[in-house]
Amino acid sequence: MWSLFGPDHLPYRLLLLARMIDRHAARQLQQEFELTLAEWRILAFVCTAGAATASEVGHSGGIDRAEISRAVAKLEKKGLISREPAPENRRKLIISPTQAGATAFAAVREERVTFFRRLLTDVNGEERAVIESAIERMAKRLSA
């Protein structure tokens, strides 16, 4: 599958790589931390960016509303987040990490950093800079 469409399909190979990384992450998160990928993404967002509504989390990570709803409910049940009504609109709920959520985030983040370092072992600093630059230019082209 890697070279199915030839050398002109770099974006396709990037998509394949991203899916491989997601599958690996999903397995690892479930086995080691009993979290789904969506749960991890929500927990990571509120632990790094701060308290947010479900729509803010979804918009930032491209997560659909149904998946967010399920993941938020599970995270709350696990005691990793809390939901409180927003002061300006009581129908909106603000998602915040609990102390247990912050502790879980730190453990998972440490593991993810280690995983990404291992993944990039064979890619030197100059190559990383080129990849980063190329990915950023492609993203800008898509959002233009």
Side-chain angles (χ1 to χ4, degrees), residues 4-124:
L4 181 65
F5 298 115
D8 291 334
H9 284 77
L10 174 63
Y12 175 74
R13 287 192 294 284
L14 289 171
L15 178 64
L16 288 177
L17 178 61
R19 287 182 179 165
M20 291 167 67
I21 292 169
D22 269 0
R23 281 192 299 272
H24 181 276
R27 276 192 311 272
Q28 192 172 39
L29 288 167
Q30 188 61 51
Q31 290 171 353
E32 295 181 27
F33 302 101
E34 297 181 359
L35 291 171
T36 66
L37 197 53
E39 289 168 359
W40 163 243
R41 288 177 175 156
I42 292 165
L43 185 61
F45 185 89
V46 297
C47 284
T48 56
T53 65
S55 62
E56 291 168 337
V57 173
H59 181 70
S60 73
I63 308 169
D64 71 68
R65 296 174 90 186
E67 188 174 21
I68 288 174
S69 180
R70 288 189 301 272
V72 165
K74 288 180 183 177
L75 286 168
E76 189 172 35
K77 187 175 181 179
K78 293 175 184 181
L80 299 178
I81 62 161
S82 64
R83 292 189 284 183
E84 301 292 331
E88 74 282 354
N89 182 347
R90 310 276 305 155
R91 290 178 296 174
K92 277 188 179 180
L93 295 176
I94 304 295
I95 303 165
S96 301
T98 62
Q99 185 57 48
T103 300
F105 166 74
V108 176
R109 185 172 185 274
E110 184 177 321
E111 184 286 321
R112 300 308 301 151
V113 167
T114 300
F115 168 73
F116 287 123
R117 282 187 183 139
R118 278 194 319 263
L119 183 64
L120 292 169
T121 297
D122 299 324
V123 181
N124 68 40

Side-chain angles (χ1 to χ4, degrees), residues 124-136:
N124 68 40
E126 187 177 306
E127 291 168 324
R128 287 181 194 192
V130 169
I131 292 167
E132 283 287 340
S133 175
I135 289 171
E136 186 174 330

